Amino acid sequence: MSHIALYRAWRPQTFRDMVGQQHIIQTLQNAIRENRVSHAYLFNGPRGTGKTTTAKVLAKAVNCERGPAVEPCNECDACRGITAGHIMDVVEIDAASNRGIDEIRDIRDKVRYAPSDVRYKVYIIDEVHMLTTEAFNALLKTLEEPPGHVIFILATTEPHKLPATIISRCQRFDFRQVSLQEQMDRLKEICADEGITYEEDAIAYIARLSEGGMRDAISLLEQVSAFSGGGITLESAVDVTGGLAAEQFYQLAEAVRDRNAAAVLPLVESLAQSGKSADKCMENLLYYFRDLLVLKLAPQGNAETERVVDRERFQAMAESYTPERLFAMIDILGRYQGELKHATQPQTLFEVALLKLCTFEEGGGARGAASANVSGGASTAEINALRQQVAALERQLGELLKNGVTASSSTEGSGRSQAAPARNTGRGIFGGGSGGIRSKVKLDPYLAAAESQESVAARAKWGNVLQRVKEEKVTLHAWLKDGELVAVSSGTLLLAFRNDIHRETTEKPNHREIIERIASELLGSPYGLATVMQKEWQAALEGSGPPAAGEVLELEHEGEPRSKEPPKQPPWVEEAVKLFGEDLVVVRDQD
Protein backbone atom coordinates (compact mmCIF):
# COMPACT_ATOMS: atom_id res chain seq x y z
CA MET A 1 0.00 0.00 0.00
CA SER A 2 1.41 3.37 -0.96
CA HIS A 3 1.81 6.27 1.46
CA ILE A 4 -1.12 8.18 -0.06
CA ALA A 5 -3.33 5.09 0.20
CA LEU A 6 -2.24 4.53 3.80
CA TYR A 7 -2.85 8.14 4.80
CA ARG A 8 -6.26 8.21 3.15
CA ALA A 9 -7.16 4.90 4.78
CA TRP A 10 -6.38 6.38 8.20
CA ARG A 11 -7.64 9.89 7.58
CA PRO A 12 -10.32 10.63 10.23
CA GLN A 13 -13.87 10.49 8.92
CA THR A 14 -15.59 11.56 12.16
CA PHE A 15 -14.76 13.88 15.04
CA ARG A 16 -14.05 10.95 17.35
CA ASP A 17 -11.24 9.82 15.06
CA MET A 18 -9.34 13.12 15.42
CA VAL A 19 -6.09 12.97 17.36
CA GLY A 20 -4.94 15.66 19.78
CA GLN A 21 -7.57 18.36 19.09
CA GLN A 22 -10.29 17.43 21.58
CA HIS A 23 -10.75 21.02 22.79
CA ILE A 24 -11.63 22.16 19.25
CA ILE A 25 -13.83 19.15 18.51
CA GLN A 26 -15.88 19.69 21.66
CA THR A 27 -16.49 23.36 20.80
CA LEU A 28 -17.61 22.52 17.25
CA GLN A 29 -19.89 19.72 18.42
CA ASN A 30 -21.56 21.98 20.97
CA ALA A 31 -22.13 24.61 18.29
CA ILE A 32 -23.77 22.01 16.02
CA ARG A 33 -25.86 20.64 18.86
CA GLU A 34 -27.16 24.11 19.78
CA ASN A 35 -27.64 25.14 16.12
CA ARG A 36 -25.15 28.01 16.50
CA VAL A 37 -22.75 27.23 13.67
CA SER A 38 -20.77 30.31 12.64
CA HIS A 39 -20.65 31.61 9.09
CA ALA A 40 -16.79 31.73 9.09
CA TYR A 41 -14.05 29.77 10.87
CA LEU A 42 -10.28 30.24 10.90
CA PHE A 43 -8.30 27.04 11.55
CA ASN A 44 -4.69 27.84 12.41
CA GLY A 45 -1.86 25.53 13.40
CA PRO A 46 1.28 23.62 12.35
CA ARG A 47 1.25 21.41 9.28
CA GLY A 48 -0.28 17.98 9.54
CA THR A 49 -2.34 18.62 12.68
CA GLY A 50 -5.78 18.09 11.10
CA LYS A 51 -7.01 21.51 9.96
CA THR A 52 -8.32 20.50 6.54
CA THR A 53 -9.55 17.14 7.82
CA THR A 54 -11.56 18.85 10.58
CA ALA A 55 -13.02 21.22 8.00
CA LYS A 56 -14.25 18.29 5.88
CA VAL A 57 -15.69 16.46 8.87
CA LEU A 58 -17.48 19.68 9.88
CA ALA A 59 -18.89 20.00 6.35
CA LYS A 60 -20.25 16.45 6.59
CA ALA A 61 -21.66 17.03 10.08
CA VAL A 62 -23.70 20.11 9.11
CA ASN A 63 -24.90 18.51 5.86
CA CYS A 64 -25.55 14.96 7.10
CA GLU A 65 -29.04 13.77 6.10
CA ARG A 66 -29.53 12.56 9.67
CA GLY A 67 -28.52 15.88 11.14
CA PRO A 68 -27.05 18.39 11.54
CA ALA A 69 -25.30 15.83 13.71
CA VAL A 70 -22.44 16.06 16.17
CA GLU A 71 -20.98 13.02 14.35
CA PRO A 72 -21.51 12.45 10.62
CA CYS A 73 -22.97 9.06 9.83
CA ASN A 74 -20.71 8.49 6.78
CA GLU A 75 -23.53 6.34 5.33
CA CYS A 76 -25.94 8.80 3.73
CA ASP A 77 -25.51 10.12 0.20
CA ALA A 78 -24.39 13.52 1.47
CA CYS A 79 -21.62 12.14 3.72
CA ARG A 80 -20.36 9.70 1.11
CA GLY A 81 -20.47 12.36 -1.59
CA ILE A 82 -18.50 14.87 0.49
CA THR A 83 -15.93 12.19 1.37
CA ALA A 84 -15.51 11.32 -2.31
CA GLY A 85 -15.55 14.97 -3.40
CA HIS A 86 -18.66 14.63 -5.59
CA ILE A 87 -20.84 17.23 -3.85
CA MET A 88 -20.48 20.49 -5.75
CA ASP A 89 -21.71 22.58 -2.81
CA VAL A 90 -18.64 21.66 -0.72
CA VAL A 91 -15.66 23.30 -2.41
CA GLU A 92 -12.00 22.95 -1.35
CA ILE A 93 -9.70 25.64 -2.77
CA ASP A 94 -5.91 25.74 -2.59
CA ALA A 95 -5.11 29.43 -2.14
CA ALA A 96 -1.46 28.82 -3.04
CA SER A 97 -2.44 28.21 -6.68
CA ASN A 98 -5.73 30.18 -6.73
CA ARG A 99 -4.68 33.34 -5.00
CA GLY A 100 -5.94 36.06 -7.33
CA ILE A 101 -8.92 38.35 -7.13
CA ASP A 102 -10.69 36.61 -10.03
CA GLU A 103 -11.05 33.34 -8.08
CA ILE A 104 -12.47 35.15 -5.04
CA ARG A 105 -14.86 37.15 -7.24
CA ASP A 106 -16.10 33.87 -8.69
CA ILE A 107 -16.82 32.62 -5.17
CA ARG A 108 -18.56 35.89 -4.28
CA ASP A 109 -20.82 35.54 -7.30
CA LYS A 110 -21.74 31.91 -6.57
CA VAL A 111 -22.48 32.22 -2.84
CA ARG A 112 -25.68 34.10 -3.64
CA TYR A 113 -27.25 30.94 -5.03
CA ALA A 114 -28.74 28.35 -2.70
CA PRO A 115 -27.07 24.91 -2.43
CA SER A 116 -28.41 22.29 -4.80
CA ASP A 117 -27.50 19.00 -3.11
CA VAL A 118 -27.04 19.63 0.62
CA ARG A 119 -28.06 21.96 3.42
CA TYR A 120 -25.05 24.34 3.44
CA LYS A 121 -22.54 25.54 0.91
CA VAL A 122 -19.11 25.08 2.51
CA TYR A 123 -16.00 26.77 1.11
CA ILE A 124 -12.71 25.39 2.50
CA ILE A 125 -9.83 27.71 1.57
CA ASP A 126 -6.51 26.06 2.42
CA GLU A 127 -3.30 28.11 2.87
CA VAL A 128 -5.45 31.23 2.90
CA HIS A 129 -2.48 33.44 3.81
CA MET A 130 -1.30 33.10 0.19
CA LEU A 131 -4.14 35.25 -1.15
CA THR A 132 -3.25 38.64 -2.60
CA THR A 133 -4.28 41.89 -0.94
CA GLU A 134 -6.92 42.46 -3.61
CA ALA A 135 -8.30 38.96 -3.08
CA PHE A 136 -8.54 39.56 0.67
CA ASN A 137 -10.46 42.77 0.04
CA ALA A 138 -12.89 40.94 -2.23
CA LEU A 139 -13.34 38.16 0.35
CA LEU A 140 -13.89 40.68 3.14
CA LYS A 141 -17.13 41.96 1.62
CA THR A 142 -18.55 38.44 1.53
CA LEU A 143 -17.52 37.73 5.12
CA GLU A 144 -19.17 40.94 6.29
CA GLU A 145 -22.61 40.07 4.86
CA PRO A 146 -22.67 36.30 4.24
CA PRO A 147 -25.81 34.48 3.11
CA GLY A 148 -27.30 32.20 5.74
CA HIS A 149 -26.63 29.05 3.71
CA VAL A 150 -22.84 29.57 3.36
CA ILE A 151 -20.00 28.55 5.71
CA PHE A 152 -16.40 29.63 5.09
CA ILE A 153 -13.55 27.64 6.66
CA LEU A 154 -10.13 29.25 6.27
CA ALA A 155 -7.05 27.14 7.06
CA THR A 156 -3.51 28.47 7.43
CA THR A 157 -0.16 27.80 9.06
CA GLU A 158 0.71 31.52 9.18
CA PRO A 159 -2.19 33.54 10.63
CA HIS A 160 0.01 36.61 11.14
CA LYS A 161 -0.07 37.15 7.37
CA LEU A 162 -3.84 37.56 7.36
CA PRO A 163 -5.37 41.06 7.58
CA ALA A 164 -6.87 41.84 10.98
CA THR A 165 -10.18 42.62 9.29
CA ILE A 166 -10.41 39.01 8.05
CA ILE A 167 -9.44 37.48 11.41
CA SER A 168 -11.97 39.59 13.31
CA ARG A 169 -14.83 38.19 11.22
CA CYS A 170 -13.98 34.55 11.89
CA GLN A 171 -14.12 32.23 14.85
CA ARG A 172 -10.48 31.30 15.36
CA PHE A 173 -9.34 27.85 16.46
CA ASP A 174 -5.67 27.17 17.19
CA PHE A 175 -4.66 23.59 16.42
CA ARG A 176 -1.80 22.33 18.56
CA GLN A 177 0.92 19.82 17.83
CA VAL A 178 -0.12 16.26 18.56
CA SER A 179 1.60 14.95 21.68
CA LEU A 180 4.27 12.28 21.40
CA GLN A 181 2.18 9.69 23.25
CA GLU A 182 -0.91 10.33 21.11
CA GLN A 183 1.13 9.92 17.96
CA MET A 184 2.71 6.71 19.21
CA ASP A 185 -0.70 5.26 20.09
CA ARG A 186 -2.08 6.04 16.63
CA LEU A 187 1.02 4.63 14.87
CA LYS A 188 0.77 1.42 16.89
CA GLU A 189 -2.89 1.16 15.99
CA ILE A 190 -2.03 1.53 12.30
CA CYS A 191 0.71 -1.10 12.54
CA ALA A 192 -1.62 -3.54 14.28
CA ASP A 193 -4.37 -3.16 11.68
CA GLU A 194 -1.96 -3.29 8.73
CA GLY A 195 -0.02 -6.27 10.09
CA ILE A 196 3.27 -4.37 10.47
CA THR A 197 5.71 -5.48 13.16
CA TYR A 198 7.52 -2.73 15.02
CA GLU A 199 9.93 -1.83 17.81
CA GLU A 200 8.87 0.60 20.52
CA ASP A 201 12.02 2.67 20.06
CA ALA A 202 11.36 2.92 16.31
CA ILE A 203 7.79 4.16 16.85
CA ALA A 204 9.05 6.75 19.37
CA TYR A 205 11.75 7.85 16.92
CA ILE A 206 9.24 8.33 14.08
CA ALA A 207 6.82 10.21 16.32
CA ARG A 208 9.56 12.52 17.54
CA LEU A 209 10.80 13.33 14.02
CA SER A 210 7.30 14.32 12.86
CA GLU A 211 7.41 17.30 15.27
CA GLY A 212 3.76 17.00 16.27
CA GLY A 213 2.35 16.47 12.76
CA MET A 214 0.23 13.32 12.50
CA ARG A 215 0.35 13.38 8.70
CA ASP A 216 4.16 13.46 8.72
CA ALA A 217 4.25 10.61 11.24
CA ILE A 218 2.12 8.38 9.00
CA SER A 219 4.29 9.32 6.00
CA LEU A 220 7.47 8.32 7.83
CA LEU A 221 5.84 5.11 9.06
CA GLU A 222 4.98 4.09 5.50
CA GLN A 223 8.45 5.04 4.26
CA VAL A 224 10.26 3.02 6.93
CA SER A 225 7.90 0.08 6.46
CA ALA A 226 8.59 -0.02 2.72
CA PHE A 227 12.34 0.18 3.33
CA SER A 228 12.46 -2.63 5.88
CA GLY A 229 10.01 -4.93 4.08
CA GLY A 230 7.14 -4.77 6.53
CA GLY A 231 8.94 -4.72 9.89
CA ILE A 232 9.94 -1.44 11.51
CA THR A 233 13.18 -1.30 13.50
CA LEU A 234 15.05 1.60 15.03
CA GLU A 235 18.05 0.94 12.79
CA SER A 236 15.94 1.05 9.62
CA ALA A 237 14.14 4.19 10.81
CA VAL A 238 17.46 5.94 11.44
CA ASP A 239 18.82 4.89 8.03
CA VAL A 240 15.76 6.02 6.08
CA THR A 241 15.49 9.43 7.77
CA GLY A 242 19.21 10.21 7.54
CA GLY A 243 19.69 10.31 11.30
CA LEU A 244 22.64 9.18 13.38
CA ALA A 245 22.72 5.86 15.19
CA ALA A 246 23.11 5.80 18.96
CA GLU A 247 26.70 4.53 18.67
CA GLN A 248 27.68 7.41 16.38
CA PHE A 249 26.18 9.89 18.83
CA TYR A 250 28.16 8.30 21.64
CA GLN A 251 31.44 8.42 19.71
CA LEU A 252 31.02 12.10 18.84
CA ALA A 253 30.00 13.02 22.39
CA GLU A 254 32.95 11.02 23.75
CA ALA A 255 35.43 12.81 21.45
CA VAL A 256 34.04 16.22 22.45
CA ARG A 257 34.10 15.29 26.13
CA ASP A 258 37.75 14.20 25.95
CA ARG A 259 38.67 17.22 23.78
CA ASN A 260 40.00 14.71 21.25
CA ALA A 261 40.02 16.84 18.11
CA ALA A 262 41.97 14.16 16.22
CA ALA A 263 39.06 11.72 16.55
CA VAL A 264 36.41 14.17 15.33
CA LEU A 265 37.46 14.51 11.70
CA PRO A 266 37.46 10.74 10.90
CA LEU A 267 34.01 10.45 12.52
CA VAL A 268 32.64 13.30 10.39
CA GLU A 269 34.18 11.78 7.28
CA SER A 270 32.58 8.40 8.02
CA LEU A 271 29.20 10.09 8.44
CA ALA A 272 29.62 11.83 5.08
CA GLN A 273 30.63 8.55 3.41
CA SER A 274 27.48 6.88 4.75
CA GLY A 275 25.33 9.61 3.15
CA LYS A 276 24.55 11.69 6.25
CA SER A 277 24.13 15.37 5.43
CA ALA A 278 25.92 17.94 7.56
CA ASP A 279 22.76 19.87 8.43
CA LYS A 280 20.97 16.71 9.57
CA CYS A 281 23.98 15.66 11.65
CA MET A 282 24.11 19.11 13.23
CA GLU A 283 20.40 18.99 14.04
CA ASN A 284 20.61 15.51 15.57
CA LEU A 285 23.71 16.37 17.58
CA LEU A 286 21.96 19.47 18.92
CA TYR A 287 19.06 17.30 20.07
CA TYR A 288 21.49 14.81 21.59
CA PHE A 289 23.20 17.40 23.79
CA ARG A 290 19.77 18.80 24.65
CA ASP A 291 18.78 15.34 25.89
CA LEU A 292 21.99 15.12 27.93
CA LEU A 293 21.13 18.48 29.50
CA VAL A 294 17.56 17.42 30.30
CA LEU A 295 18.81 14.21 31.85
CA LYS A 296 21.41 16.18 33.80
CA LEU A 297 19.01 18.78 35.21
CA ALA A 298 15.88 16.61 35.53
CA PRO A 299 17.04 13.01 36.08
CA GLN A 300 13.65 12.01 37.51
CA GLY A 301 11.71 13.59 34.67
CA ASN A 302 11.73 10.39 32.54
CA ALA A 303 11.98 12.47 29.38
CA GLU A 304 11.52 10.22 26.38
CA THR A 305 13.95 10.74 23.53
CA GLU A 306 14.62 8.70 20.42
CA ARG A 307 18.32 8.42 21.25
CA VAL A 308 18.05 6.88 24.70
CA VAL A 309 18.51 3.24 23.80
CA ASP A 310 20.97 2.25 26.52
CA ARG A 311 19.82 4.47 29.40
CA GLU A 312 22.73 3.56 31.72
CA ARG A 313 25.29 4.49 29.08
CA PHE A 314 23.41 7.68 28.30
CA GLN A 315 23.29 8.55 32.02
CA ALA A 316 27.04 8.02 32.34
CA MET A 317 27.66 10.36 29.41
CA ALA A 318 25.43 13.02 30.97
CA GLU A 319 27.34 12.82 34.26
CA SER A 320 30.64 13.46 32.46
CA TYR A 321 29.48 16.95 31.40
CA THR A 322 28.72 19.96 33.53
CA PRO A 323 25.48 21.88 32.88
CA GLU A 324 27.49 25.02 32.05
CA ARG A 325 29.44 23.23 29.36
CA LEU A 326 26.29 21.69 27.86
CA PHE A 327 24.57 25.09 27.78
CA ALA A 328 27.56 26.64 26.01
CA MET A 329 27.88 23.79 23.49
CA ILE A 330 24.19 23.94 22.62
CA ASP A 331 24.57 27.69 22.08
CA ILE A 332 27.60 27.15 19.80
CA LEU A 333 25.83 24.47 17.76
CA GLY A 334 22.74 26.67 17.45
CA ARG A 335 24.77 29.53 15.97
CA TYR A 336 26.57 27.25 13.53
CA GLN A 337 23.27 25.62 12.53
CA GLY A 338 22.01 29.00 11.36
CA GLU A 339 25.18 29.58 9.32
CA LEU A 340 25.02 26.07 7.85
CA LYS A 341 21.88 26.92 5.84
CA HIS A 342 23.87 29.32 3.64
CA ALA A 343 27.27 27.61 3.71
CA THR A 344 28.92 26.52 0.45
CA GLN A 345 30.96 23.89 2.34
CA PRO A 346 28.56 22.52 4.99
CA GLN A 347 30.73 19.55 5.98
CA THR A 348 33.69 21.84 6.67
CA LEU A 349 31.51 24.11 8.81
CA PHE A 350 30.23 21.08 10.72
CA GLU A 351 33.82 20.01 11.38
CA VAL A 352 34.70 23.52 12.59
CA ALA A 353 31.73 23.47 14.97
CA LEU A 354 32.85 20.17 16.48
CA LEU A 355 36.44 21.37 16.77
CA LYS A 356 35.21 24.45 18.58
CA LEU A 357 33.33 22.21 21.02
CA CYS A 358 36.54 20.25 21.59
CA THR A 359 38.51 23.40 22.41
CA PHE A 360 35.81 24.96 24.59
CA GLU A 361 36.98 25.74 28.13
CA GLU A 362 34.47 26.49 30.88
CA GLY A 363 34.68 30.08 32.07
CA GLY A 364 37.07 31.13 29.33
CA GLY A 365 35.52 30.14 26.02
CA ALA A 366 37.40 28.31 23.32
CA ARG A 367 40.45 30.58 23.16
CA GLY A 368 42.11 29.42 26.36
CA ALA A 369 41.59 25.76 25.60
CA ALA A 370 42.84 26.17 22.07
CA SER A 371 46.06 27.79 23.18
CA ALA A 372 46.54 25.14 25.85
CA ASN A 373 46.09 22.28 23.37
CA VAL A 374 48.44 23.84 20.84
CA SER A 375 51.14 24.55 23.38
CA GLY A 376 50.91 20.98 24.56
CA GLY A 377 50.09 21.32 28.21
CA ALA A 378 49.96 24.77 29.79
CA SER A 379 48.17 24.40 33.13
CA THR A 380 44.99 26.24 33.99
CA ALA A 381 46.80 28.14 36.76
CA GLU A 382 49.43 29.40 34.32
CA ILE A 383 46.77 30.51 31.83
CA ASN A 384 44.82 32.36 34.53
CA ALA A 385 48.01 34.08 35.72
CA LEU A 386 48.78 35.24 32.18
CA ARG A 387 45.24 36.57 31.80
CA GLN A 388 45.58 38.56 35.01
CA GLN A 389 48.86 40.06 33.79
CA VAL A 390 47.29 41.03 30.47
CA ALA A 391 44.33 42.63 32.26
CA ALA A 392 46.68 44.61 34.51
CA LEU A 393 48.69 45.85 31.52
CA GLU A 394 45.50 46.88 29.74
CA ARG A 395 44.41 48.90 32.77
CA GLN A 396 47.80 50.62 33.01
CA LEU A 397 47.75 51.46 29.31
CA GLY A 398 44.26 52.88 29.64
CA GLU A 399 45.34 55.12 32.51
CA LEU A 400 48.38 56.34 30.54
CA LEU A 401 46.26 57.20 27.51
CA LYS A 402 43.68 58.90 29.71
CA ASN A 403 46.35 61.07 31.33
CA GLY A 404 47.69 62.24 27.97
CA VAL A 405 50.98 60.36 27.59
CA THR A 406 52.26 60.64 24.02
CA ALA A 407 52.21 57.59 21.84
CA SER A 408 55.76 58.03 20.65
CA SER A 409 57.20 57.12 24.06
CA SER A 410 55.14 53.96 24.31
CA THR A 411 55.83 52.70 20.79
CA GLU A 412 59.50 53.61 20.51
CA GLY A 413 61.59 50.63 19.54
CA SER A 414 58.58 48.40 19.00
CA GLY A 415 59.79 47.27 15.60
CA ARG A 416 56.92 48.94 13.71
CA SER A 417 57.34 52.03 11.61
CA GLN A 418 57.15 55.28 13.58
CA ALA A 419 54.64 56.54 11.04
CA ALA A 420 51.89 54.37 12.59
CA PRO A 421 50.42 56.64 15.24
CA ALA A 422 48.79 55.66 18.51
CA ARG A 423 46.05 58.20 18.65
CA ASN A 424 43.55 58.97 21.41
CA THR A 425 41.58 62.17 21.68
CA GLY A 426 40.77 61.84 25.34
CA ARG A 427 37.30 63.29 24.81
CA GLY A 428 33.91 62.41 23.37
CA ILE A 429 31.98 64.04 20.55
CA PHE A 430 30.86 66.89 22.73
CA GLY A 431 34.02 66.95 24.86
CA GLY A 432 36.10 70.08 25.20
CA GLY A 433 39.71 70.83 25.92
CA SER A 434 42.79 70.28 23.83
CA GLY A 435 44.62 67.77 25.98
CA GLY A 436 44.31 64.89 23.50
CA ILE A 437 47.32 62.95 22.26
CA ARG A 438 48.80 64.35 19.08
CA SER A 439 50.01 62.19 16.22
CA LYS A 440 53.03 63.15 14.14
CA VAL A 441 52.95 61.92 10.55
CA LYS A 442 55.93 62.57 8.28
CA LEU A 443 54.37 62.83 4.84
CA ASP A 444 57.52 62.91 2.72
CA PRO A 445 57.99 59.12 2.63
CA TYR A 446 54.37 58.66 1.62
CA LEU A 447 54.57 61.34 -1.08
CA ALA A 448 57.59 59.57 -2.55
CA ALA A 449 55.85 56.18 -2.38
CA ALA A 450 52.41 57.28 -3.60
CA GLU A 451 52.89 55.70 -7.03
CA SER A 452 55.26 52.92 -6.02
CA GLN A 453 54.57 49.34 -7.01
CA GLU A 454 53.68 48.46 -3.43
CA SER A 455 51.17 51.32 -3.17
CA VAL A 456 49.55 50.50 -6.50
CA ALA A 457 49.24 46.82 -5.54
CA ALA A 458 47.78 47.68 -2.15
CA ARG A 459 45.23 50.04 -3.68
CA ALA A 460 44.20 47.31 -6.12
CA LYS A 461 43.41 44.98 -3.21
CA TRP A 462 41.91 47.62 -0.91
CA GLY A 463 38.40 46.77 -2.07
CA ASN A 464 38.90 43.22 -0.79
CA VAL A 465 40.03 44.62 2.56
CA LEU A 466 36.89 46.76 2.79
CA GLN A 467 34.71 43.75 1.98
CA ARG A 468 36.34 41.61 4.68
CA VAL A 469 35.96 44.41 7.20
CA LYS A 470 32.29 44.67 6.25
CA GLU A 471 31.80 40.93 6.81
CA GLU A 472 33.42 41.12 10.23
CA LYS A 473 32.00 44.44 11.46
CA VAL A 474 29.62 46.33 9.21
CA THR A 475 29.62 49.49 11.37
CA LEU A 476 33.40 49.82 11.05
CA HIS A 477 33.09 49.46 7.28
CA ALA A 478 30.69 52.41 7.24
CA TRP A 479 33.40 54.63 8.77
CA LEU A 480 36.38 53.11 6.98
CA LYS A 481 35.01 53.52 3.46
CA ASP A 482 35.29 57.32 3.92
CA GLY A 483 39.07 56.89 3.91
CA GLU A 484 41.16 56.54 0.78
CA LEU A 485 44.35 54.48 0.69
CA VAL A 486 46.80 57.02 -0.72
CA ALA A 487 50.22 55.47 -0.11
CA VAL A 488 52.18 52.64 1.51
CA SER A 489 55.57 53.22 3.07
CA SER A 490 57.75 51.25 5.50
CA GLY A 491 55.03 48.73 6.31
CA THR A 492 52.39 51.39 7.04
CA LEU A 493 49.16 52.14 5.18
CA LEU A 494 48.26 55.85 4.98
CA LEU A 495 44.54 56.60 4.75
CA ALA A 496 43.25 60.08 3.88
CA PHE A 497 39.84 60.95 5.36
CA ARG A 498 37.39 63.65 4.31
CA ASN A 499 35.57 63.62 7.65
CA ASP A 500 37.36 63.86 10.97
CA ILE A 501 34.72 61.89 12.89
CA HIS A 502 35.20 58.97 10.49
CA ARG A 503 38.93 59.24 11.05
CA GLU A 504 38.57 59.27 14.84
CA THR A 505 36.30 56.24 14.85
CA THR A 506 38.61 54.29 12.57
CA GLU A 507 41.59 54.95 14.85
CA LYS A 508 39.97 53.45 17.95
CA PRO A 509 42.26 50.66 19.22
CA ASN A 510 39.77 47.86 18.63
CA HIS A 511 38.98 49.13 15.12
CA ARG A 512 42.66 49.64 14.30
CA GLU A 513 43.39 46.05 15.33
CA ILE A 514 40.71 44.68 12.98
CA ILE A 515 41.87 46.76 10.01
CA GLU A 516 45.55 45.96 10.49
CA ARG A 517 44.88 42.25 10.90
CA ILE A 518 42.69 41.96 7.80
CA ALA A 519 44.99 44.15 5.70
CA SER A 520 48.01 42.08 6.72
CA GLU A 521 46.21 38.85 5.77
CA LEU A 522 45.02 40.05 2.36
CA LEU A 523 48.07 42.11 1.37
CA GLY A 524 50.53 39.40 2.29
CA SER A 525 52.71 41.09 4.94
CA PRO A 526 52.29 42.88 8.29
CA TYR A 527 51.03 46.44 7.99
CA GLY A 528 50.39 49.26 10.43
CA LEU A 529 47.88 52.06 9.99
CA ALA A 530 48.33 55.85 9.78
CA THR A 531 45.71 58.46 8.99
CA VAL A 532 45.65 62.03 7.69
CA MET A 533 42.97 64.44 6.60
CA GLN A 534 42.30 64.56 2.86
CA LYS A 535 42.93 68.29 2.57
CA GLU A 536 46.36 67.97 4.21
CA TRP A 537 47.30 65.20 1.83
CA GLN A 538 46.14 67.24 -1.17
CA ALA A 539 48.04 70.27 0.06
CA ALA A 540 51.19 68.18 0.39
CA LEU A 541 50.73 66.73 -3.11
CA GLU A 542 50.34 70.18 -4.64
CA GLY A 543 53.31 71.54 -2.75
CA SER A 544 51.19 74.31 -1.25
CA GLY A 545 50.72 72.77 2.15
CA PRO A 546 52.59 73.66 5.30
CA PRO A 547 55.11 70.82 5.22
CA ALA A 548 58.30 71.59 3.35
CA ALA A 549 60.69 68.89 2.26
CA GLY A 550 61.60 66.77 5.27
CA GLU A 551 59.35 68.80 7.56
CA VAL A 552 57.17 66.98 10.10
CA LEU A 553 53.46 67.82 9.88
CA GLU A 554 51.87 67.83 13.31
CA LEU A 555 48.13 67.11 13.24
CA GLU A 556 45.69 68.00 15.94
CA HIS A 557 42.39 66.29 16.80
CA GLU A 558 40.53 68.08 14.02
CA GLY A 559 43.28 67.36 11.48
CA GLU A 560 44.38 71.04 11.17
CA PRO A 561 48.10 71.80 10.74
CA ARG A 562 49.79 73.39 13.73
CA SER A 563 51.99 75.56 11.47
CA LYS A 564 48.96 77.65 10.42
CA GLU A 565 46.51 78.54 13.14
CA PRO A 566 42.91 78.42 11.82
CA PRO A 567 40.72 81.44 12.44
CA LYS A 568 38.95 81.27 15.77
CA GLN A 569 35.33 80.11 15.44
CA PRO A 570 32.52 80.31 18.01
CA PRO A 571 32.19 77.17 20.19
CA TRP A 572 28.89 76.16 18.57
CA VAL A 573 30.50 76.20 15.13
CA GLU A 574 33.33 73.98 16.34
CA GLU A 575 30.84 71.49 17.77
CA ALA A 576 28.88 71.47 14.51
CA VAL A 577 32.06 70.70 12.57
CA LYS A 578 32.86 67.85 14.93
CA LEU A 579 29.41 66.36 14.48
CA PHE A 580 28.86 66.76 10.74
CA GLY A 581 32.29 67.39 9.23
CA GLU A 582 33.63 70.51 7.55
CA ASP A 583 32.16 69.59 4.16
CA LEU A 584 28.60 69.81 5.48
CA VAL A 585 28.92 72.90 7.68
CA VAL A 586 28.50 76.31 6.05
CA VAL A 587 28.80 79.48 8.16
CA ARG A 588 27.13 82.63 6.82
CA ASP A 589 27.30 86.10 8.36
CA GLN A 590 23.98 87.90 8.66
CA ASP A 591 24.01 91.69 8.49
Side-chain angles (χ1 to χ4, degrees), residues 296-406:
K296 184 79 174 177
L297 298 180
Q300 305 303 325
N302 297 323
E304 293 290 340
T305 69
E306 71 270 16
R307 287 161 290 274
V308 182
V309 179
D310 187 343
R311 190 172 181 85
E312 293 183 359
R313 194 180 189 188
F314 197 81
Q315 180 72 47
M317 180 63 71
E319 292 176 354
S320 65
Y321 285 94
T322 64
E324 293 76 16
R325 188 179 181 192
L326 287 172
F327 275 121
M329 291 195 302
I330 290 173
D331 183 57
I332 292 171
L333 287 177
R335 292 200 303 270
Y336 275 98
Q337 187 181 31
E339 298 178 9
L340 201 63
K341 297 177 182 178
H342 310 288
T344 56
Q345 297 291 335
Q347 181 179 339
T348 301
L349 194 61
F350 181 48
E351 292 172 345
V352 171
L354 289 174
L355 292 176
K356 190 165 187 177
L357 296 185
C358 291
T359 59
F360 173 79
E361 182 181 9
E362 296 178 38
R367 56 182 180 180
S371 60
N373 290 341
V374 172
S375 62
S379 66
T380 304
E382 292 173 343
I383 294 173
N384 290 335
L386 287 174
R387 286 178 181 160
Q388 293 175 0
Q389 293 178 13
V390 171
L393 290 173
E394 288 177 347
R395 287 194 299 270
Q396 293 176 10
L397 181 58
E399 289 296 327
L400 290 174
L401 294 176
K402 184 176 180 181
N403 294 331
V405 178
T406 59

Side-chain angles (χ1 to χ4, degrees), residues 8 12 31 42 45 47 57 103 116 215 232 239 253 280 337 350 365 379 384 400 411 449 491 540 547 559 590:
R8 286 179 176 171
L42 174 60
R47 68 182 191 278
V57 174
E103 289 82 358
S116 57
R215 182 179 64 223
I232 296 178
D239 287 341
K280 195 68 177 179
Q337 187 181 31
F350 181 48
S379 66
N384 290 335
L400 290 174
T411 59
Q590 293 184 351

